[in-house]
Amino acid sequence: MVPSTVFLLASLVPIAAAVKHVEKPTVFVYVCGDETSTSFPGDHASTRRPALSSSGVASGVDSTTAPGSFLTSTTIGDATSTSISIELSTESASPTDSASSTDSDSSTDSASSTDSDSSTIVETPTSSVITTTGSTVSSTSEAPTSSATTLPPTPMSCANAQLSCHNTTAVADLCCFNAPGGQLLLTQFWDTAPSTGPADAWTIHGLWPDRCDGTYDANCDASREYTNITAILNSFGKTDLLTYMDTNWKDYQGNDESFWEHEWGKHGTCISTLDTTCYDNYKPQTEVVDYFEKAVELNKGLNSYKILADAGITPSQTATYTLIQIQNALKAAHGFVPTLGCKSGVLQEIWYHYNVLGSVQTGQFVPTEPDGTKSTCPATGVKYLVKYATGTPSGTATAPAPTGTGAPFSGKGFLQAYTSGSNKGCLIGAGTWYTTGTCAGYTATESGAGFTLKSSKGDCGIVDSVFTCAAGVTPSVFTDSAGLLAYEGSSNFYTTAVPSGSVQGKVTTAQQAVLVTFKWQST
Ligand SMILES: *[C@@H]1O[C@H](CO)[C@@H](O)[C@H](O)[C@H]1NC(C)=O
Ligand SMILES: *[C@@H]1O[C@H](CO)[C@@H](O)[C@H](O)[C@H]1NC(C)=O
């Protein structure tokens, strides 16, 4: 029985591979980084995500966004994330593991990674290899099954998988071998202008498949460029995943859903092992769930903030660091020097590179060197700025716009919150008060004796004494009272408590424990 079963399976492999779509569109080369050439759908279409840029293409971004200076930092420190550590298969990622601190500049040599014998690559960074088998199985078992005969979708099992980018002959089964995107990158942001996410955590940018030579494919399957990522994750019962993403996978303009759609559509659809044919009992969009789960899982194992802080590299408006210092700290944890992205000498991104033994869903992510030279940081004088800083970053020539100076409520701007005399957070799209996230853009339009407000969520009004912005809300007319937002003559708004962490405060006109006022910050 066994031999014929094996034969049957073996004969099916090429058939399955042949059935897979062969569409492989444009190959991109990293010149300007990832996101600079893409604008997002929705109401931010005119602005772009800042990204790694060696050519200054993204430099126009900052002029349209407020500097990261509009929040006080006093309570930010304890407002941290839901994160962070997960169990690694071997967790002794001691900084002393990496004896070869002096050869870190070899990471910029893209050719060397392909020369390496795969067994060496697997063994060297064992301290940070993440074993993932089982996580997908347990997660898919949460999916509701409509009848006893419906089996949960399961990624194909991958016995004797090969390490991506290390094959010497063509591999047929691309469900168990990532190709052509064989180098997987988990990329992170440190956003300070404006600040996003926890003050002491890097946020996720994406999970990207690179070819093994520094180029990459993008937007590989238009039919799977979904515009309902949140709904998909919810439909699979992934509320914990969504909660984590809400805090740790941030769009700098507050449009997280669009950002997730962009990352999945541009990069996720190019991962061969996430093809719809790579499952037993495939259920539509299972691979989308797997994409976000894997990115989050990798991110949880890459606490860049702590790695750097443990090496004495902490955010500062004044200190600078050398590139080697930063690289050595990260190399000690990851096994290889990741790609570092700077803009004007300010550290903004870390890209961790992996090869994968097997599929993205169930395989092993094996740290490796970057497959191309992509770092954009100077050798010395690298700045690692504080998130939600209050003052002007010292040494920068561009003075940040003063926050909430009582500018007239008109055009586009942020609604900065003030309580007990200081600026603490701002309003986000639904009209709730948030102290650790991205401010929502509001549009103020003259109306009668005052003005109306609108966010990406819809018109803003006082609904049952709660400041609410949503589709279908009847817009209220607000006024400017000595530079403060006022409703029915009063600039006093209230919440039950000053929000912290991922908590959002409902803002009411009815008196409650905390008095808060709002100033306009034009953008
Ligand atoms: C590795 O496998 C991929 C996918 O089959 C193939 O395109 C590539 O040419 C192979 N590499 C080598 C060196 O044979
Ligand atoms: C998400 O969108 C796709 C494509 O429009 C659709 O097939 C799918 O049913 C949607 N899923 C949910 C949970 O809304």
Side-chain angles (χ1 to χ4, degrees), residues 206-344:
L207 177 62
W208 307 342
D210 267 22
R211 290 177 170 238
C212 308
D213 60 2
T215 64
Y216 66 99
D217 297 308
N219 303 94
C220 296
D221 186 354
S223 73
R224 291 190 296 147
E225 291 194 6
Y226 298 112
T227 55
N228 56 351
I229 302 298
T230 304
I232 289 169
L233 297 180
N234 270 323
S235 76
F236 280 80
K238 299 295 175 186
T239 48
D240 289 354
L241 178 65
L242 274 168
T243 303
Y244 182 90
M245 288 167 60
D246 282 339
T247 304
N248 296 288
W249 199 331
K250 306 300 293 178
D251 173 46
Y252 79 116
Q253 292 181 314
N255 206 340
D256 297 344
E257 163 71 28
S258 298
F259 185 38
W260 301 339
E261 289 165 10
H262 168 81
E263 289 301 309
W264 161 255
K266 180 172 178 182
H267 303 289
T269 58
C270 298
I271 297 175
S272 73
T273 60
L274 288 179
D275 198 276
T276 58
T277 58
C278 297
Y279 291 85
D280 296 322
N281 313 305
Y282 176 71
K283 176 181 164 189
Q285 289 97 46
T286 299
E287 80 280 19
V288 178
V289 179
D290 286 344
Y291 174 80
F292 288 99
E293 288 211 308
K294 181 53 61 175
V296 161
E297 181 193 315
L298 290 168
N299 191 65
K300 285 180 174 177
L302 292 166
N303 188 342
S304 300
Y305 182 89
K306 184 169 187 307
I307 293 167
L308 293 173
D310 287 350
I313 301 165
T314 52
S316 165
Q317 304 306 86
T318 50
T320 62
Y321 302 97
T322 65
L323 182 57
I324 292 283
Q325 238 182 316
I326 299 169
Q327 287 175 331
N328 284 349
L330 296 168
K331 180 179 177 178
H334 180 62
F336 291 86
V337 175
T339 297
L340 295 174
C342 283
K343 199 162 64 186
S344 307

Side-chain angles (χ1 to χ4, degrees), residues 24-113:
K24 278 296 163 214
T26 331
V27 176
F28 293 82
V29 183
Y30 286 95
V31 176
C32 311
D34 175 49
E35 312 304 332
T36 50
S37 60
T38 308
S39 57
F40 293 99
D43 58 353
H44 307 302
S46 62
T47 53
R48 291 168 179 179
R49 180 100 204 166
L52 294 190
S53 171
S54 52
S55 60
V57 167
S59 63
V61 172
D62 280 352
S63 61
T64 62
T65 55
S69 60
F70 43 77
L71 299 186
T72 57
S73 58
T74 43
T75 62
I76 298 296
D78 54 9
T80 55
S81 68
T82 53
S83 52
I84 272 296
S85 66
I86 58 159
E87 280 147 49
L88 301 179
S89 54
T90 53
E91 58 177 61
S92 58
S94 126
T96 55
D97 283 356
S98 165
S100 51
S101 58
T102 51
D103 63 7
S104 56
D105 50 355
S106 69
S107 73
T108 54
D109 176 6
S110 61
S112 58
S113 67

